[in-house]
Amino acid sequence: MESQLPATHPGFTCVNGPLVEHAARSRLRRPDAVVIPEAALDEDGLAVEAERVLAAVEITSPGGSGDAHAERLADYPAMGIPHYMIVDPRTGTIEVHSEPCRGHYSSKEPYIFGDSVPFGAWTVETSEFRRYGRDG
């Protein structure tokens, strides 16, 4: 996605690490990756305001449960994050959620590793994604 951002959203970057905050919901989340304005990385403070986040990506951990994703599937659309991708290397699947409306995403599209995945204005090539415990 990083290579596509200059054409679709100049001045934005895809990074991991920053907390995402929604003060009205009293929520802090740390997605595995977020698409945010590059300038947000230089600002003081521990978190980026949710309204500045274009997309969030989560990667399921090897021992992860669906509970964490269920919470985020409630929080992210309520925070106004337009696009949310869940990558699950346990099963080799991807879910793309979009169109936040009244606290949930109206659209959910399933994919598998190897697909070209439309994600907002971008396409994520997943041919090199690997499942946990598999060499190739």
Side-chain angles (χ1 to χ4, degrees):
M1 285 179 31
E2 184 70 25
S3 65
Q4 298 171 55
L5 285 170
T8 64
H9 295 85
F12 279 74
T13 188
C14 182
V15 296
N16 66 358
L19 286 165
V20 175
E21 176 181 36
H22 192 279
R25 288 189 52 87
S26 299
R27 289 287 186 198
L28 276 175
R29 292 287 182 203
R30 186 184 306 270
D32 291 312
V34 290
V35 176
I36 58 174
E38 286 181 43
L41 297 173
D42 297 327
E43 296 173 359
D44 290 335
L46 298 174
V48 175
E49 297 90 11
E51 51 272 355
R52 298 177 76 190
V53 177
L54 295 181
V57 177
E58 299 279 356
I59 301 170
T60 304
S61 62
S65 71
D67 294 342
H69 293 305
E71 290 177 11
R72 287 166 175 81
L73 273 170
D75 285 343
Y76 290 160
M79 295 167 83
I81 297 174
H83 306 283
Y84 175 40
M85 178 185 288
I86 302 170
V87 178
D88 193 340
R90 299 172 308 172
T91 59
T93 59
I94 300 159
E95 291 179 2
V96 173
H97 299 268
S98 60
E99 301 176 25
C101 179
R102 297 186 183 134
H104 70 278
Y105 287 109
S106 299
S107 177
K108 172 186 167 185
E109 297 295 329
Y111 300 92
I112 60 171
F113 285 18
D115 288 345
S116 293
V117 177
F119 184 50
W122 318 286
T123 300
V124 178
E125 297 298 337
T126 68
S127 61
E128 295 192 25
F129 284 20
R130 298 290 173 246
R131 292 182 63 180
Y132 291 135
R134 300 202 178 188
D135 292 335

